[in-house]
């Protein structure tokens, strides 16, 4: 049995770091594990300009633990108003690695998002020309569509036409959750990839209602069926290079989730690589972790693979019931329940 795993230092290709006291609370978890992360721009107000992204990047760097070499890779939040000039500024900045499409109303802090992709013709043309990737929250917002079907409908209605309309645009279908999404990415043209979260590999929708309602398992896209989960696992088991790690760690203060109308988002940065190691081992595909966590994402973004490494130990540990989060607290994924793998530098 493998009890120790040395891994090229991984990257997190989809991460919510928040801002201010929340940022201060969660940043050390990602910095301890990952070399780089694609930082999501859904702050309030959103990060819609290169100048805002540069300022946000400085706030992140200022809060890094001493000696950390963690690199935040910034993104812009597309709105109906984002023009080609902003894309040119973003590209020229050297600090922005993609632009995020949030369909307006699809998820947390997406109100300022795009109401109709047809409004973004010039913007997408500039992104394709400059080879700046488009990152997509892939769910339709039509309230008539069943919440479990919103990702699949997005593929037919928006993503498939988009992929065809812009043959040179590189697109990352973020946090894929369904068999339909896996099939779409696997049969798509080159330049289409996807991130996968730990929760969508570990859990199916039963985890939302196991003995009662479980707000800390609520995220968007919502957890899907066992068949969907198995499709995600098959993609990673095949070592398919179009699928790579993106935790979508999305912290929310406890009371905003434990509420009559709780927020979407699961915090996993405290175990952002360990949870993947656990599921890969359980599936007998631990040798596939290196590609998924440390190679395919860097290759897709055309960035060098990291030089350093981390060590994971097969030693169970139990995350606390909560972590401090500004004035409040944060309930992590697997709170009070054991995780099979531990990061060596955090070993007791
Ligand atoms: C994310 C958040 O809280 O910012 N929530 C989530 O459920 N995934 C937003 C997102 O990634 O859609
Ligand atoms: Zn999203
Ligand atoms: Zn996200």
């Amino acid at each position: 049995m493998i009890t120790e795993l040395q891994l090229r230092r991984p990257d997190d290709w989809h991460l919510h770091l928040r801002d201010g006291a929340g940022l201060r609370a969660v940043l050390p978890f990602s910095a301890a594990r990952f070399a780089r992360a694609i930082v999501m721009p859904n702050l309030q107000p959103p990060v819609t300009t290169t100048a805002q992204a540069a300022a946000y990047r400085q706030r992140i760097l200022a809060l890094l633990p001493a000696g950390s070499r963690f690199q935040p890779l910034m993104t812009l939040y597309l709105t109906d108003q984002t023009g080609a000039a902003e894309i040119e500024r973003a590209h020229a900045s050297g600090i922005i690695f993609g632009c995020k499409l949030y369909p307006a109303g699809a998820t947390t802090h997406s109100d300022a998002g795009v109401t109709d992709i047809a409004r973004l013709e010039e913007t997408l043309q500039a992104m394709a020309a400059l080879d700046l990737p488009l990152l997509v929250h892939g769910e339709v917002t039509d309230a008539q569509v069943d919440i479990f079907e919103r990702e699949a409908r997005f593929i037919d209605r928006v993503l498939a036409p988009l992929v065809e309309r812009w043959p040179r645009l590189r697109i990352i279908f973020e946090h894929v959750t369904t068999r339909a999404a896996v099939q779409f990415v696997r049969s798509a043209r080159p330049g289409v990839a996807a991130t996968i979260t730990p929760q969508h590999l570990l859990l199916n929708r039963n985890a939302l209602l196991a003995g009662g309602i479980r707000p800390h398992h609520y995220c968007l896209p919502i957890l899907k069926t066992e068949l969907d989960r198995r499709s995600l696992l098959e993609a990673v088991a095949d070592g398919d290079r179009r699928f790579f790690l993106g935790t979508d760690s999305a912290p929310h203060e406890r009371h905003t989730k434990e509420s009559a109308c709780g927020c979407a988002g699961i915090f996993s940065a405290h175990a952002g690589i360990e949870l993947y190691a656990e599921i890969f081992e359980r599936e007998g595909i631990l040798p596939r972790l290196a590609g998924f966590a440390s190679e395919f994402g860097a290759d897709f973004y055309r960035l060098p693979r990291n030089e350093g490494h981390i060590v994971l130990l097969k030693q169970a540990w139990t995350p606390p019931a909560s972590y401090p989060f500004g004035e409040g607290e944060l309930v992590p994924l697997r709170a009070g329940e054991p995780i099979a793998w531990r990061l060596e530098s955090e070993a007791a």
Side-chain angles (χ1 to χ4, degrees):
M1 193 184 70
I2 298 176
T3 56
E4 189 177 321
L5 182 68
Q6 181 172 315
L7 200 67
R8 182 192 298 275
R9 188 171 281 274
D11 300 303
D12 185 347
W13 300 102
H14 183 134
L15 176 64
H16 300 271
L17 284 174
R18 312 306 190 203
D19 210 348
L23 168 63
R24 183 188 295 272
V26 298
L27 179 61
F29 293 112
S30 296
R33 289 158 179 77
F34 297 103
R36 300 170 288 201
I38 286 279
V39 179
M40 290 294 141
N42 62 333
L43 303 182
Q44 277 183 316
V47 179
T48 56
T49 66
T50 304
Q52 287 172 327
Y56 183 30
R57 181 169 173 272
Q58 289 305 326
R59 296 198 293 281
I60 297 168
L61 294 175
L63 288 174
L64 277 175
S68 172
R69 293 167 63 194
F70 178 79
Q71 291 177 50
L73 310 177
M74 309 311 290
T75 57
L76 285 193
Y77 183 117
L78 296 174
T79 71
D80 288 349
Q81 275 72 49
T82 309
E86 195 59 59
I87 300 302
E88 278 157 27
R89 275 193 289 278
H91 177 256
S93 74
I95 60 159
I96 293 173
F97 294 83
C99 297
K100 185 75 193 267
L101 170 65
Y102 289 104
T107 187
T108 305
H109 305 161
S110 64
D111 299 349
V114 174
T115 60
D116 182 358
I117 187 98
R119 293 171 186 260
L120 291 183
E121 284 282 296
E122 282 176 24
T123 313
L124 295 172
Q125 184 171 37
M127 288 175 64
L130 296 168
D131 198 21
L132 192 60
L134 178 71
L135 286 54
V136 180
H137 179 108
E139 290 191 288
V140 294
T141 54
D142 183 345
Q144 304 299 313
V145 176
D146 188 280
I147 186 165
F148 294 100
E149 301 291 328
R150 287 179 191 174
E151 186 177 272
R153 289 295 76 73
F154 185 85
I155 297 169
D156 322 331
R157 293 188 193 174
V158 183
L159 191 56
L162 186 73
V163 165
E164 227 176 273
R165 171 75 183 88
W166 301 105
R168 286 176 52 205
L169 182 63
R170 280 187 297 141
I171 299 176
I172 299 113
F173 192 177
E174 298 289 344
H175 46 45
V176 288
T177 64
T178 56
R179 185 177 195 81
V182 169
Q183 284 173 348
F184 176 78
V185 171
R186 298 189 95 164
S187 59
R189 62 157 170 81
V192 176
T195 54
I196 307 183
T197 76
Q199 63 264 27
H200 293 105
L201 291 174
L202 282 159
L203 305 172
N204 65 35
R205 65 194 191 181
N206 286 352
L208 285 164
L209 297 163
I213 194 156
R214 302 283 182 169
H216 299 293
H217 286 162
Y218 174 55
C219 66
L220 289 171
I222 199 161
L223 295 172
K224 300 297 192 308
T225 68
E226 182 61 12
L227 191 70
D228 292 307
R229 189 180 78 91
R230 296 264 27 125
S231 306
L232 300 175
L233 286 167
E234 280 160 26
V236 297
D238 286 352
D240 191 318
R241 310 169 58 83
R242 290 168 290 200
F243 297 87
F244 43 84
L245 186 156
T247 62
D248 192 20
S249 179
H252 291 271
E253 204 282 321
R254 174 201 280 272
H255 291 105
T256 65
K257 287 191 69 67
E258 297 176 6
S259 150
C261 186
C263 297
I266 294 179
F267 178 72
S268 61
H270 66 300
I273 187 67
E274 296 91 325
L275 289 160
Y276 289 104
E278 183 182 289
I279 183 67
F280 275 59
E281 188 196 26
R282 196 190 302 159
E283 293 292 316
I285 57 170
L286 210 44
R288 293 298 194 196
L289 187 61
F292 177 80
S294 315
E295 297 170 6
F296 305 158
D299 297 350
F300 189 85
Y301 275 91
R302 301 192 180 143
L303 292 169
R305 295 177 181 179
N306 298 314
E307 296 290 342
H309 66 266
I310 59 168
V311 174
L312 294 172
L313 305 174
K314 182 79 190 290
Q315 277 177 22
W317 63 290
T318 301
S322 67
Y323 290 109
F325 185 59
E327 303 280 285
E329 54 189 33
L330 177 64
V331 178
L333 185 54
R334 223 33 108 60
E337 290 168 38
I339 294 176
W341 288 81
R342 174 196 292 274
L343 190 68
E344 185 183 50
S345 61
E346 294 188 352

